[in-house]
Amino acid sequence: MKQLIDKLETNSVLSLEEYTKLIEGFTPELSEYLFEKARNIRHHYYGHDVYMRGLIEFTNYCKNDCIYCGIRRSNKNADRYRLTKEDILFCCESGYELGFRTFVLQGGEDPYFTDEKIIDIIRSIKEKYPDCAITLSIGEKEHDSYQAFFDAGADRYLLRHETANDVHYGKLHPKELSLKHRKQCLYDLKKIGYQVGCGFMVGSPYQTAENLAEDVLFIKELQPHMVGIGPFIAQHDTPFKDEKNGTLELTLFMLGLLRLTVPNVLLPSTTALGTIHPRGRELGILAGANVVMPNLSPVNVRKKYMLYDNKICTGDEAAECRYCMQNRMEAIGYHVVVSRGDCAAVE
């Protein structure tokens, strides 16, 4: 098995069968071997820098009914909210003072936020903070909408593909959503010129090791600038409420594999990792990740953006999240940097 990791390290392409074998057969010993290789590559491209993104969860309304998601359309128990443009700009102001130079606007697919409203928000942020990057994470749109957001000043777009297998995709999503369209969105975004992010849940219901191998191969083909992965965590108001959560160990292993597969990728150590283990985000960095995303959302709405159960940091002010993260990273020998944190060039 170590030979397969060595093969990956030399930038060779593994087959579906080889990736599947690695994922099925991972052990603590193999994981440590992988993490050491992943850290070396991460240090080559990014040193010991950890890029910080300011997350602004601006709406928890969503027109979709994804089976795993706590803000799905049919969840009548969700306490819905929308931030105003003024609210969003205040979050950016607080974040800018704290050193954030990337703002991530994340929300459900909320029809209230028309293209015109999103464009106005992007332009307003760029006008006040021209040295900052704007990342959008607002779901599937048509090509013209993506183009308009880009023209208004959006720099990056996060759109998790969730799974690269059609059959598995159908088990996680309602019939009106398709993997084909989701992938088309990602290719559209890349063609337009965005720094593009995709990603998936580790341990989602019905997922197999081969599904995870398919995810890695799709990512290798897409060559995104960012990949966001985290463990599946059940939400109590969804049909998956009784499903088993994904594990820390497999999620970390997948982070290491992704670092070796796309060496220069921006790889977040997610809040979900921190939710399933007290040191989850630190362990993610030590497995090869190099991005963290503290929350800038107003404290009064954080508990309402519940994609999954027991989400951490819902009661913290922005400054608490920011300095807590800095301290956590310094404790393991890394340092949070104040910059846009763009993707390193491929060598």
Side-chain angles (χ1 to χ4, degrees):
M1 297 284 260
K2 287 182 179 178
Q3 296 94 313
L4 291 177
I5 291 173
D6 293 341
K7 189 176 169 183
L8 255 187
E9 190 186 22
T10 62
N11 211 21
S12 301
V13 179
L14 299 190
S15 66
L16 179 67
E17 293 72 25
E18 287 173 322
Y19 273 119
T20 303
K21 184 181 175 184
L22 261 179
I23 294 163
E24 280 178 339
F26 86 96
T27 61
E29 183 195 2
L30 190 67
S31 294
E32 285 308 317
Y33 186 76
L34 171 66
F35 298 157
E36 186 179 348
K37 304 280 188 188
R39 283 195 297 273
N40 288 340
I41 289 175
R42 175 247 201 275
H43 295 155
H44 174 74
Y45 282 95
Y46 296 104
H48 284 69
D49 292 350
V50 176
Y51 295 144
M52 195 167 55
R53 319 299 199 200
L55 183 62
I56 304 169
E57 297 161 335
F58 69 99
T59 175
N60 72 344
Y61 283 84
C62 191
K63 68 179 186 181
N64 293 330
D65 218 16
C66 301
I67 297 158
Y68 49 83
C69 184
I71 63 171
R72 65 199 303 261
R73 182 183 70 230
S74 63
N75 182 5
K76 304 304 179 194
N77 294 325
D79 186 0
R80 305 290 179 178
Y81 74 91
R82 293 182 177 109
L83 299 186
T84 64
K85 182 174 88 166
E86 290 68 35
D87 292 332
I88 294 168
L89 288 170
F90 181 75
C91 293
C92 292
E93 183 182 343
S94 305
Y96 194 86
E97 289 171 4
L98 291 167
F100 290 89
R101 295 299 178 265
T102 290
F103 302 120
V104 181
L105 300 181
Q106 180 173 303
E109 292 193 25
D110 182 354
Y112 169 83
F113 283 98
T114 59
D115 288 1
E116 291 71 25
K117 285 188 171 79
I118 296 293
I119 288 165
D120 181 43
I121 291 166
I122 293 166
R123 284 181 175 153
S124 299
I125 295 171
K126 277 290 186 180
E127 200 174 300
K128 288 193 79 171
Y129 309 106
D131 55 330
C132 292
I134 295 176
T135 302
L136 299 179
S137 182
I138 52 176
E140 295 183 24
K141 307 285 182 184
E142 294 310 314
H143 183 282
D144 288 352
S145 300
Y146 288 146
Q147 185 70 58
F149 302 155
F150 186 77
D151 293 343
D155 303 276
R156 304 175 182 141
Y157 205 103
L158 304 179
L159 182 65
R160 284 190 173 194
H161 64 280
E162 298 304 359
T163 173
N165 179 279
D166 264 312
V167 174
H168 188 217
Y169 194 90
K171 292 179 177 179
L172 303 179
H173 298 91
K175 286 187 171 59
E176 63 267 21
L177 297 180
S178 76
L179 178 59
K180 183 181 178 184
H181 187 257
R182 180 67 61 115
K183 285 183 174 180
Q184 187 57 54
C185 287
L186 285 163
Y187 284 110
D188 285 348
L189 288 160
K190 204 164 180 208
K191 191 173 179 183
I192 287 166
Y194 284 92
Q195 294 176 41
V196 175
C198 63
F200 55 90
M201 294 176 290
V202 179
S204 59
Y206 312 109
Q207 187 182 68
T208 65
E210 187 172 297
N211 293 155
L212 287 168
E214 289 172 296
D215 284 318
V216 178
L217 286 171
F218 168 65
I219 288 164
K220 178 76 173 174
E221 175 195 306
L222 179 67
Q223 286 293 306
H225 306 83
M226 302 165 276
V227 176
I229 73 167
F232 164 77
I233 302 176
Q235 208 277 351
H236 64 278
D237 285 320
T238 70
F240 286 159
K241 64 182 184 294
D242 296 322
E243 296 287 343
K244 278 192 345 188
N245 290 341
T247 66
L248 172 79
E249 292 78 12
L250 183 54
T251 306
L252 295 174
F253 192 78
M254 294 307 300
L255 281 170
L257 274 188
L258 286 166
R259 173 58 68 203
L260 262 63
T261 301
V262 190
N264 66 320
V265 76
L266 293 163
L267 205 54
S269 189
T270 61
T271 303
L273 260 181
T275 297
I276 62 167
H277 190 281
R279 294 185 68 249
R281 287 168 296 183
E282 291 95 318
L283 293 170
I285 296 295
L286 293 170
N290 67 320
V291 173
V292 290
M293 297 172 70
N295 204 324
L296 292 178
S297 306
V299 172
N300 67 326
V301 302
R302 290 195 192 181
K303 283 187 170 68
K304 300 176 184 180
Y305 201 83
M306 278 295 167
L307 306 183
Y308 51 82
D309 284 351
N310 304 313
K311 186 177 170 189
I312 56 172
C313 301
T314 56
D316 293 348
E317 294 288 350
E320 287 179 272
C321 282
R322 186 250 189 268
Y323 291 113
C324 167
M325 194 65 73
Q326 180 174 315
N327 293 337
R328 284 172 175 270
M329 294 303 108
E330 287 175 356
I332 56 169
Y334 289 80
H335 47 263
V336 167
V337 293
V338 177
S339 77
R340 281 170 47 111
D342 290 306
C343 185
V346 185
E347 295 177 354

